[in-house]
Amino acid sequence: MQLRPYQETARARVHEAWQTVDRTLLVMPTGCGKTIVFSAISRDAVEAGGRVLILAHRGELLQQAADKLAKSTGLFCAIEKADEEAHESLARVVVGSVQTLMRPARLARFGEDHFTHIIIDEAHHAIADSYQASVRYFAGAKVLGVTATPDRADRRNLGTYFESLAFEYTIIEAIREGWLSPIRALSIPLKIDISNVGIQSGDFKAGELGDALAPYLEKIADEMLAHCATRKTLVFTPLVATAQKFASLLTERGFRADWVSGDDPDRAQKLARYANSGPGAALVNSMLLTEGYDDPATDCIVNLRATKSRALFAQIVGRGTRIYPDKDDVLLLDFLWLTDKHELCHPAHLVAESDEMAKALTAAAEHAGADGMVIDEAALDEARREVVKAREEALAEELRKQRNRQRKLVDPLQWAVSVNAADLTDYQPEFPWEMAPASAGQKAALEKAGIFPDEIRCAGQAAKLLDRLEARRVAGMATARQVRCLERFGFQHVGEMAFAEANRIITRISANGWRLPDDLAERIKRSKA
């Protein structure tokens, strides 16, 4: 088994994390081979004399894990689900159904120390009682949770159980390095009114969403005919009835369309037919194919299941991001969902570092024209510049209000904005150690570096600030005090200055009696023009 470079790094980081913690996370986008990575980690554990339990919650995921483990490592694994039992097997790897192993009688057939390692596939489910029943029983085992990019709420919830994030590989990194297809977002100006759809368990009620969607299905099918006829398309709907109706509408328009559901007796046949189809094929499903489904040739995703969950949205889009010969990108139709009560997930949320950046990216996509906008590193950089510009303007206003406020130290938020550190301006703690108060040592180090420590909310924020300060020092960038000083005189983009340049300018101002020399005043004037 030859791992890709990022997969090898992930594998090493997990083993490093297990040196200091018992429960760690691996975050990797759909299509980047997380099953291959945890298969390699399983093989490492077996070669060290251990036994591994791989937990999953659906039959397809169980079989997929078993097949890939055998194919990539040569390891035989036993299955523990329903009528299949593994407690007497000689296999050192067991792939287990959560629904089966949550039963005390099934767990009791194994010794509490039977497994040395537990791997939880789709780990955003890990805090559910069904999963916790197994991990609590095998309390001495090292635990790895593997998931695609979760949303912030999921990450904070996972932080109540997992102790660290061993490794994270982002969608943008995967696209840049050629391991995922670029995402082309096309904004469709069709206004779908879901303002009266209720919320259940944190997301839109599927039944009400299906009812609200019904009047628009003809127009949506027309939009698909205009934009997706030469592509291979997966469509996600809130209800099976919606999937059936929509597949019929697509067939009328010339698509080779099928619908599929969990109870469909012809499901396997329809999946095989889609797998062997090319451009012009469409497969409509009611949330059946969000996890564990692979068809790399799919190059168009139409999501008619509006959602507030970034994790769910990432799973849906991930069905189309795998690379495939002659596949240039994956087209993602983004409809204008009308709701005055809730924020919805858009393509931008897959890559954006904050809600501000997501809004900037979404606005750019809406004005991108008929070909849509490729959401890549360049688009992300442009959105980042827009956000930084807005923050700088807000900061300038705040500085004007505080002009008479004499503080020798720099407010941490102001400094983060000045140095374009989006991860610091939008930072939220996720793991217990991050949520703890900043230590006396951290506060002392920050104050020494020129940061006002009383504004620090937690240890995680302090650690990130100190890491960034050290990285800037090593790179020879302007210090926090230099940034603060020059911004007071009206200089812009000071965070991008080198230490030497900032020092030279401050020395000149000081030598001029702390008044701006004429050439520097002219420089500031030109920068604001």
Side-chain angles (χ1 to χ4, degrees):
M1 175 173 56
Q2 183 65 44
L3 297 181
R4 297 170 180 173
Y6 68 88
Q7 293 173 334
E8 190 61 67
T9 300
R11 172 189 182 185
R13 294 279 179 80
V14 169
H15 287 304
E16 289 173 11
W18 275 337
Q19 297 300 311
T20 55
V21 301
D22 293 327
R23 304 181 298 275
T24 194
L25 266 174
L26 171 62
V27 176
M28 191 174 288
T30 298
C32 285
K34 58 186 176 63
T35 307
I36 294 296
V37 175
F38 72 64
S39 293
I41 292 170
S42 298
R43 183 181 62 184
D44 294 338
V46 170
E47 290 178 349
R51 290 190 180 91
V52 182
L53 171 63
I54 299 172
L55 286 174
H57 69 290
R58 283 183 32 219
E60 290 91 341
L61 296 178
L62 291 170
Q63 195 57 54
Q64 181 186 92
D67 291 345
K68 287 193 176 181
L69 184 75
K71 185 176 181 180
S72 62
T73 68
L75 287 174
F76 166 73
C77 64
I79 303 290
E80 178 75 20
K81 70 167 185 176
D83 295 334
E84 297 183 66
E85 300 179 1
H87 64 282
E88 294 182 347
S89 171
L90 296 178
R92 301 191 73 84
V93 179
V94 172
V95 179
S97 161
V98 171
Q99 291 86 346
T100 297
L101 284 172
M102 67 182 288
R103 302 170 187 167
R106 293 296 285 260
L107 280 174
R109 297 177 184 180
F110 297 91
E112 294 179 359
D113 59 351
H114 186 84
F115 295 107
T116 57
H117 298 77
I118 297 175
I119 295 173
I120 302 176
D121 195 11
E122 306 297 348
H124 45 280
H125 301 296
I127 58 176
D129 290 341
S130 54
Y131 281 83
Q132 288 298 306
S134 296
V135 294
R136 281 196 300 264
Y137 183 80
F138 304 110
K142 296 287 188 180
V143 179
L144 170 64
V146 185
T147 184
T149 306
D151 61 24
R152 173 168 293 162
D154 280 335
R155 290 179 69 135
R156 294 198 68 178
N157 288 336
L158 290 175
T160 63
Y161 174 70
F162 292 98
E163 299 168 283
S164 74
L165 177 60
F167 181 74
E168 180 173 14
Y169 192 57
T170 67
I171 290 178
I172 285 294
E173 288 174 312
I175 292 173
R176 181 181 66 233
E177 295 173 7
W179 300 116
L180 287 182
S181 296
I183 298 171
R184 183 178 297 276
L186 179 61
S187 294
I188 303 298
L190 181 60
K191 299 178 181 180
I192 304 175
D193 189 358
I194 57 170
S195 57
N196 293 320
V197 175
I199 300 295
Q200 185 175 31
S201 301
D203 210 351
F204 293 100
K205 292 181 178 179
E208 294 183 14
L209 191 58
D211 292 339
L213 194 62
Y216 303 92
L217 292 180
E218 293 268 3
K219 292 181 179 179
I220 295 171
D222 290 338
E223 293 289 352
M224 279 190 60
L225 181 61
H227 301 290
C228 312
T230 60
R231 291 179 178 258
K232 187 174 183 180
T233 307
L234 272 181
V235 183
F236 293 82
T237 67
L239 300 172
V240 172
T242 311
Q244 293 172 325
K245 173 64 175 177
F246 196 63
S248 176
L249 293 174
L250 292 179
T251 300
E252 292 173 5
R253 286 159 175 79
F255 286 89
R256 299 187 306 280
D258 273 325
W259 65 271
V260 66
S261 72
D263 297 327
D264 186 354
D266 299 324
R267 177 174 63 174
Q269 179 182 350
K270 290 177 179 179
L271 291 175
R273 185 158 56 230
Y274 179 75
N276 294 319
S277 296
L283 184 61
V284 190
N285 77 102
S286 176
M287 307 308 292
L288 172 69
L289 307 177
T290 55
E291 295 177 349
Y293 176 72
D294 296 343
D295 186 281
T298 295
D299 61 352
C300 184
I301 298 293
V302 177
N303 180 34
L304 302 183
R305 203 288 182 218
T307 180
K308 294 158 55 68
S309 168
R310 182 170 175 258
L312 175 58
F313 193 73
Q315 290 282 3
I316 290 172
V317 177
R319 301 308 115 197
T321 52
R322 285 174 170 82
I323 55 178
Y324 192 74
D326 300 323
K327 178 177 173 180
D328 297 324
D329 54 37
V330 55
L331 179 65
L332 179 56
L333 299 195
D334 189 28
F335 296 94
L336 181 59
W337 302 94
L338 296 182
T339 172
D340 55 0
K341 295 180 289 186
H342 305 287
E343 285 292 328
L344 296 180
C345 281
H346 293 281
H349 287 91
L350 297 171
V351 298
E353 300 158 4
S354 65
D355 288 339
E356 290 172 292
M357 285 187 63
K359 289 177 181 177
L361 267 175
T362 299
E366 289 174 356
H367 296 89
D371 292 331
M373 181 183 77
V374 175
I375 300 181
D376 56 9
E377 203 157 24
L380 196 60
D381 286 342
E382 179 60 32
R384 190 178 289 113
R385 283 191 287 271
E386 288 296 318
V387 170
V388 167
K389 179 181 177 182
R391 286 174 173 171
E392 284 183 341
E393 292 172 353
L395 176 60
E397 177 63 25
E398 181 64 21
L399 289 174
R400 281 193 290 272
K401 293 178 181 178
Q402 297 183 10
R403 190 163 289 144
N404 297 325
R405 183 181 178 188
Q406 298 299 317
R407 179 189 282 176
K408 295 180 180 179
L409 301 177
V410 185
D411 180 272
L413 178 59
Q414 290 180 358
W415 180 79
V417 171
S418 297
V419 300
N420 301 343
D423 58 327
L424 290 173
T425 57
D426 198 45
Y427 172 77
Q428 293 289 338
E430 295 165 2
F431 296 98
W433 75 266
E434 295 176 316
M435 300 176 190
S439 69
Q442 286 177 319
K443 288 187 174 182
L446 287 168
E447 185 166 354
K448 184 177 180 181
I451 302 294
F452 188 57
D454 290 359
E455 298 293 334
I456 303 300
R457 294 178 288 110
C458 58
Q461 182 189 19
K464 273 189 169 291
L465 280 165
L466 289 169
D467 287 346
R468 187 60 56 87
L469 286 163
E470 176 61 14
R472 288 179 60 83
R473 184 193 68 78
V474 171
M477 304 299 290
T479 68
R481 286 189 173 90
Q482 287 176 327
V483 170
R484 175 74 165 161
C485 175
L486 292 177
E487 284 182 340
R488 281 175 169 170
F489 280 97
F491 285 88
Q492 294 184 323
H493 310 297
V494 185
E496 300 172 9
M497 279 190 188
F499 172 85
E501 181 185 6
N503 188 59
R504 178 180 59 79
I505 294 173
I506 292 172
T507 299
R508 288 193 60 201
I509 296 173
S510 173
N512 197 44
W514 293 106
R515 296 187 301 274
L516 280 174
D518 291 342
D519 63 318
L520 292 182
E522 182 62 26
R523 172 178 168 178
I524 294 172
K525 183 179 178 181
R526 288 197 305 271
S527 70
K528 294 180 178 179

